[in-house]
Amino acid sequence: MPLTRRSWAEPFKIKVVEPVRLTTPEQRAKALEAAGYNTFLLRSRDVYIDLLTDSGTSAMSDRQWAGMMLGDEAYAGSENYYHLEAAVQNAYGYKHVIPTHQGRGAEHLLSRVLIKPGDIIPGNMYFTTTRLHQEMAGGTFIDAVIPEAHDPASTHPFKGNFDIDKLERILSENPRRVPYICAAATVNMAGGQPISLENLTHVRELADRHKTRIILDATRIAENAYFLQQREPGQKGRPIRAIVRDLANLTDGCTMSAKKDPLANIGGFIGINDDAVAEEISNLVVVFEGLHTYGGMAGRDMEAVAIGIEESLEDDHIRARVGQVEYLGEKLLGWGIPIVLPIGGHGIYLDAKAFLPHIPQSQYPAQALAAALYLDSGVRAMERGAVSAGRDPVSGVERFPKLELVRLTIPRRVYTQAHMDVTAESVYCVYEERHNVRGLKMTYEPRFLRFFQARFAPIN
Ligand code: F0G
């Protein structure tokens, strides 16, 4: 009988391994209580499969590790900076490259330089650190993503697209008050969803007409390009590298967390075309990050990022990376478990509202679900719902977003198919027992980015 499909395998083999520890249910219950039911506060030694984030958690290649030995740790003019600069220019095409310690360092500097108090920044959905830096610079973020992005069940192929009419309205109503349009590829908070080249081209036309800029959050641009290669008319068969370049070419600059797509454990940068803006950012980087030729990174880390950028653009790599996420998602879908559709680029997002309909959003169902999953198997996931959304900075009222999600985030090149199976089965078991999961109340709320350090207790 002929096979209906042929499997693919990861385009690498394993050279170094890191042991992980299985815990008992009793140990996990203790650890969870000590962590205030917040998976961010667990010790990593108590975690079996760590799907908290894909940020800084990638396995580096032998080439990247070899590059680490070539660290030029000169304070000024490190050779590795020039490798990084060339890699960024080559991959994304931006003229100026300013290194930062990670993505939020880039967001901080860019927001300070471009935003004046009273400004408006429209974007294709918020990201936690990005929006906070915009707000701290005196700006207000306005969501201009298409409505489908807020609906977990919508199968729109480009849920990262801007609502062009809404964006146009925002630009017309706020002349000279929009310093830039913030475009993310992919959109993390919507479930790792792509923006299409066609949509970004429309955004470019609007930006030109209204004399403003587009700043790209390029954190997961290769994953975005993969979805366009699969789905966007005209993109089939084009190399990922070419699609990435097309996306970047439609924008005026980027902030990048090199801890994601670029396969490094730390790092980030700003890419920017405007000479004057680049000069101002270079001035500020020495205040907050470090000299403009290291920006808070060691020379060896810049080398790892430079090599990682190249590796992230290989078609084989990105197919296997997103393919592993799809493998996990398909399994859950097969069991009827509610997840965000279509399956995203860096993780599976469980729809906690549909998973735990008996828990009101004020009792943080996604937080409760992440805790229940850890308790079941030691799999660590992350809340992406009301806790992450925080409070309105002006009114202080809690924001209750439409999306109340738990993210199972897959680190790049780290886990095997068996880890995905164990994870899927744990989600299945929690789903079977979902009526026993109880809501949480917040017992400690930090002022900024509360999801990182908040503490909770179960409601009886
Ligand atoms: N932009 C996006 C879309 C991100 O996902 C992140 C980080 C950042 C910016 C900030 O970069 O962490 O290097 O300072 N996301 C991580 C996550 C934390 O788990 O999704 P950073």
Side-chain angles (χ1 to χ4, degrees):
M1 192 177 64
L3 292 173
T4 52
R5 87 179 256 283
R6 296 290 294 268
S7 295
W8 50 265
E10 288 78 3
F12 54 81
K13 53 187 177 174
I14 296 166
K15 178 143 52 186
V16 178
V17 296
E18 174 185 349
V20 290
R21 199 169 72 111
L22 254 173
T23 47
T24 63
E26 294 71 35
Q27 286 170 325
R28 291 196 290 278
K30 240 175 104 188
L32 191 62
E33 208 188 323
Y37 294 80
N38 185 348
T39 52
F40 275 103
L41 300 179
L42 288 166
R43 293 181 64 151
S44 125
R45 53 168 288 160
D46 296 328
V47 173
Y48 180 38
I49 299 175
D50 202 348
L51 307 184
L52 184 73
T53 177
D54 62 330
S55 181
T57 53
S58 296
M60 291 209 296
S61 67
D62 51 359
R63 285 183 58 229
Q64 282 177 295
W65 279 109
M68 295 287 276
M69 287 306 291
L70 303 177
D72 171 2
E73 307 305 341
Y75 188 89
S78 162
E79 194 56 19
N80 311 117
Y81 167 74
Y82 296 99
H83 295 170
L84 174 64
E85 182 187 45
V88 173
Q89 288 169 340
N90 183 37
Y92 315 110
Y94 298 115
K95 185 171 172 197
H96 303 282
V97 181
I98 298 130
T100 59
H101 75 284
Q102 60 182 81
R104 69 200 71 179
E107 292 166 351
H108 171 217
L109 301 183
L110 187 100
S111 301
R112 269 191 182 243
V113 167
L114 292 184
I115 299 172
K116 294 185 307 303
D119 279 352
I120 303 284
I121 302 95
N124 53 348
M125 202 175 269
Y126 83 101
F127 183 70
T128 53
T129 58
T130 322
R131 179 174 67 188
L132 182 60
H133 280 300
Q134 291 161 353
E135 289 172 351
M136 288 175 103
T140 301
F141 174 84
I142 300 189
D143 186 19
V145 77
I146 55 170
E148 287 88 341
H150 292 282
D151 173 9
S154 160
T155 56
H156 192 292
F158 308 111
K159 280 167 102 172
N161 276 0
F162 278 86
D163 178 334
I164 295 294
D165 292 339
K166 181 166 184 190
L167 181 60
E168 174 136 50
R169 231 175 13 254
I170 295 168
L171 291 167
S172 307
E173 285 168 5
N174 297 282
R176 287 179 301 281
R177 282 176 66 207
V178 178
Y180 65 94
I181 298 162
C182 184
T186 59
V187 179
N188 189 354
M189 301 303 277
Q193 306 292 334
I195 178 170
S196 71
L197 271 167
E198 188 197 14
N199 187 259
L200 194 58
T201 304
H202 285 309
V203 176
R204 177 77 263 166
E205 285 159 13
L206 283 183
D208 289 343
R209 201 163 345 123
H210 292 269
K211 300 198 169 31
T212 186
R213 299 184 180 85
I214 305 175
I215 299 295
L216 182 68
D217 183 337
T219 296
R220 297 183 182 86
I221 188 172
E223 291 167 8
N224 196 106
Y226 176 75
F227 287 125
L228 304 193
Q229 188 191 54
Q230 301 304 306
R231 298 177 191 163
E232 184 158 12
Q235 300 308 315
K236 206 172 178 59
R238 293 189 67 215
I240 290 299
R241 174 182 303 278
I243 303 173
V244 162
R245 188 57 183 267
D246 285 354
L247 284 164
N249 278 351
L250 286 166
T251 69
D252 302 285
C254 81
T255 53
M256 173 65 108
S257 169
K259 303 172 72 172
K260 282 90 168 172
D261 256 8
L263 296 160
N265 299 128
I266 193 72
F269 55 84
I270 294 169
I272 192 97
N273 292 333
D274 187 295
D275 297 337
V277 173
E279 190 180 328
E280 270 197 66
I281 295 173
S282 286
N283 267 218
L284 266 193
V285 77
V286 298
V287 181
F288 290 105
E289 301 278 320
L291 198 73
H292 57 280
T293 55
Y294 76 87
M297 277 185 280
R300 53 181 171 271
D301 294 325
M302 290 191 281
E303 192 64 31
V305 174
I307 297 170
I309 287 172
E310 275 299 308
E311 294 181 356
S312 78
L313 302 179
E314 285 165 14
D315 283 60
D316 285 356
H317 158 72
I318 200 72
R319 183 179 64 158
R321 190 282 183 277
V322 180
Q324 187 175 44
V325 177
E326 282 172 345
Y327 173 83
L328 174 61
E330 296 291 351
K331 240 182 150 144
L332 297 176
L333 279 177
W335 291 329
I337 292 168
I339 64 172
V340 172
L341 296 172
I343 294 168
H346 64 299
I348 299 301
Y349 290 64
L350 305 174
D351 180 358
K353 276 188 190 169
F355 202 112
L356 301 173
H358 58 286
I359 301 181
Q361 202 174 11
S362 58
Q363 297 180 10
Y364 313 117
Q367 191 78 35
L369 180 52
L373 192 63
Y374 172 75
L375 209 53
D376 178 73
S377 61
V379 169
R380 167 155 71 171
M382 183 199 287
E383 191 265 7
R384 292 273 87 149
V387 182
S388 292
R391 291 177 183 274
D392 183 275
V394 180
S395 68
V397 175
E398 273 195 296
R399 300 189 253 223
F400 288 108
K402 282 207 184 110
L403 297 177
E404 178 74 22
L405 310 174
V406 171
R407 187 181 71 177
L408 301 162
T409 339
I410 314 301
R412 296 166 185 79
R413 309 192 291 207
V414 170
Y415 289 116
T416 65
Q417 191 161 318
H419 290 110
M420 297 301 107
D421 291 338
V422 168
T423 299
E425 288 162 23
S426 176
V427 174
Y428 181 84
C429 290
V430 174
Y431 193 58
E432 288 287 286
E433 300 287 319
R434 60 192 179 278
H435 307 293
N436 297 328
V437 179
R438 285 178 293 157
L440 297 171
K441 59 172 186 271
M442 206 181 291
T443 56
Y444 165 65
E445 181 177 1
R447 183 156 157 229
F448 297 118
L449 303 173
R450 63 183 191 173
F451 54 94
F452 283 131
Q453 290 153 338
R455 302 184 70 85
F456 303 84
I459 292 172
N460 285 315

